[in-house]
Amino acid sequence: MSVLIGIVGILLLLGLSYLMSNDKKNINYKAIGVLFVIQFLVTLLMFKTTFGNTIVEAISNGVSNVLEYGYEGIRFVLGGLVPDDGSVFFINVLMLIIFTSTLLSILTYIRILPIAIKYIGGALAKITGLSKVVTFNSVNSIFFGQSESFLAIKSHLDKMNDNKLFVVSTVAMGSVSASIMGAYITMIPPQYVLVAMMLNALSGLIITSIIAPTKEVEEEVIDIKDATTSKSFFEAVSVGALDGGRIALIVAAMLVAYVGLIALVDGLLSSVIGLSFTQLLGYVFSPIAYMMGIPGEEVRTAGTIMGTKLATNEFVAMLEFQPLIGQLSPKTVAVVSSFLVSFANFSSIGIISGSIQALNGEKAKVVATFGLKMLLAATMVSILTATMVGLFS
């Protein structure tokens, strides 16, 4: 029954995307069909075959092993600050971002990631008929998220129409950065982090191709030199480490602010109406959680976590979700975990606009005009990814 509800939920999501479309006549249905087939096959492979399970497990174990080297650096600098049987979120989770950001910067500098992204994106453009810049950006966003991903397409921003700008911005918001993937897998099941990162790229193209159709442009050429500004290996290490440190501090500051504000609002609302802010979010998002295939008795709990993520950010939601994982059904854990793996929240509107502002002031003004629509579309991307995962969980 939950599978049937999930399928209905996907159809409703596509229907809403169609109603939001600003160019219904030029929707590329072939591309959407191909992307759905790829998404279906990837999810089926990863969750329902021995080969896929082995791949996911191998990647998860590999990432965990690599992260252990990062902990060596953390222990060297901050060893002794955390008792053996204790845990400090900033040290045990956020400090890892510095290490993973450095690795990402190195892989970008030596051109391993940019070349892989260019050819995967190019293949996706060829089989779907979508713009090469759009497909490159969707794959690029798997690794670089909403801030850094625009660097690789900065030379194309001037020529982008509003639809294409909406697509690249929304896909970036609906993604996450590989630099913080290590932090995520310490909080929620790693297999859902890895699969959601891949599916978000496809979901982003599906939803945005309906809402803001784009056309293939023959003269589009992707130059991977735009992917990094580092002039040497050691500069790449330094840039990656400093960027990671900046992200860790920003996340820490946001958590202090948001967790404190939620506690304040919870207290105020509880004293006035007898319901906390998080409880209200649970009621609002319960219907959405139900249409994603989550069991009826768990929809309010799931809705609370989903609403918290949208109102604050994914880290706050993951912190609230983590202690509940052992109490919820495997399907709910799969759906909610996958939903949380994205940057889609209110604060990301400003981050996207600011990132484009640094590259092209005129286009940043355009992005600012569709901020809320972009957030809605990016949230729909997360819903599609999570519902697809739920069908196979």
Side-chain angles (χ1 to χ4, degrees):
M1 184 65 180
S2 63
V3 172
L4 179 60
I5 293 172
I7 293 172
V8 172
I10 290 175
L11 293 175
L12 289 174
L13 197 63
L14 295 178
L16 177 59
S17 300
Y18 183 80
L19 291 175
M20 292 172 59
S21 179
N22 58 21
D23 190 3
K24 295 179 176 64
K25 292 182 179 179
N26 286 311
I27 294 175
N28 187 337
Y29 293 103
K30 173 199 167 185
I32 294 165
V34 170
L35 290 167
F36 255 119
V37 170
I38 296 172
Q39 192 175 54
F40 178 85
L41 292 176
V42 168
T43 316
L44 177 67
L45 175 69
M46 293 304 178
F47 290 121
K48 291 300 183 181
T49 67
T50 303
F51 176 69
N53 288 332
T54 302
I55 291 176
V56 172
E57 185 178 352
I59 295 174
S60 298
N61 291 337
V63 171
S64 297
N65 290 335
V66 170
L67 293 179
E68 279 301 315
Y69 295 106
Y71 281 121
E72 287 295 320
I74 295 171
R75 282 190 285 267
F76 178 80
V77 175
L78 298 169
L81 291 181
V82 182
D84 293 336
D85 58 346
S87 176
V88 175
F89 182 78
F90 182 77
I91 295 175
N92 290 11
V93 178
L94 296 187
M95 289 292 286
L96 270 179
I97 295 174
I98 298 173
F99 179 65
T100 52
S101 177
T102 302
L103 289 179
L104 196 65
S105 183
I106 292 171
L107 291 173
T108 303
Y109 172 72
I110 61 180
R111 298 293 190 266
I112 290 178
L113 275 182
I115 290 173
I117 292 167
K118 178 179 180 179
Y119 285 103
I120 294 172
L124 204 54
K126 190 169 184 179
I127 62 176
T128 60
L130 295 174
S131 157
K132 292 183 181 68
V133 169
V134 164
T135 55
F136 174 86
N137 179 72
S138 69
V139 180
N140 194 43
S141 294
I142 296 175
F143 300 96
F144 296 100
Q146 61 185 354
S147 299
E148 300 89 343
S149 63
F150 296 114
L151 290 174
I153 58 169
K154 61 183 179 182
S155 60
H156 296 271
L157 288 175
D158 264 335
K159 295 175 284 187
M160 283 188 182
N161 59 25
D162 290 359
N163 273 15
K164 192 172 291 185
L165 193 60
F166 177 85
V167 171
V168 298
S169 299
T170 302
V171 169
M173 184 186 283
S175 68
V176 294
S177 170
S179 64
I180 58 177
M181 175 183 66
Y184 290 161
I185 69 172
T186 65
M187 304 168 71
I188 60 177
Q191 66 268 32
Y192 301 123
V193 176
L194 297 171
V195 173
M197 288 176 69
M198 291 187 288
L199 294 186
N200 280 342
L202 300 171
S203 296
L205 288 176
I206 291 170
I207 296 297
T208 57
S209 293
I210 299 174
I211 294 176
T214 60
K215 296 179 181 178
E216 183 180 18
V217 179
E218 292 295 336
E219 63 271 14
E220 288 181 336
V221 178
I222 303 296
D223 187 354
I224 60 174
K225 291 180 181 179
D226 290 336
T228 180
T229 57
S230 299
K231 300 297 187 292
S232 70
F233 176 85
F234 294 105
E235 184 181 356
V237 171
S238 300
V239 168
L242 292 174
D243 283 347
R246 177 176 57 84
I247 293 170
L249 289 173
I250 289 172
V251 171
M254 296 286 278
L255 285 174
V256 171
Y258 278 124
V259 172
L261 284 173
I262 286 178
L264 173 62
V265 175
D266 274 351
L268 291 173
L269 288 178
S270 295
S271 62
V272 174
I273 62 174
L275 286 174
S276 68
F277 177 62
T278 50
Q279 287 175 322
L280 287 174
L281 289 175
Y283 287 116
V284 171
F285 279 84
S286 288
I288 298 174
Y290 181 75
M291 295 309 300
M292 293 167 71
I294 290 175
E297 65 274 12
E298 296 178 342
V299 292
R300 195 154 64 85
T301 300
T304 297
I305 302 299
M306 292 163 57
T308 299
K309 186 254 184 182
L310 179 63
T312 57
N313 61 45
E314 73 279 10
F315 276 102
V316 177
M318 286 179 188
L319 283 172
E320 291 192 5
F321 183 56
Q322 192 176 21
L324 301 175
I325 289 176
Q327 306 168 25
L328 298 171
S329 66
K331 188 178 189 71
T332 298
V333 171
V335 172
V336 176
S337 295
S338 302
F339 178 84
L340 296 181
V341 183
S342 91
F343 289 137
N345 59 67
F346 284 98
S347 63
S348 288
I349 298 175
I351 294 172
I352 292 282
S353 297
S355 299
I356 295 181
Q357 176 70 46
L359 301 173
N360 190 308
E362 287 302 313
K363 295 300 181 182
K365 295 176 183 177
V366 176
V367 171
T369 63
F370 52 61
L372 289 176
K373 185 177 182 180
M374 179 172 63
L375 175 58
L376 175 58
T379 303
M380 292 163 65
V381 169
S382 295
I383 292 172
L384 177 57
T385 290
T387 306
M388 184 65 70
V389 170
L391 295 179
F392 295 91
S393 300

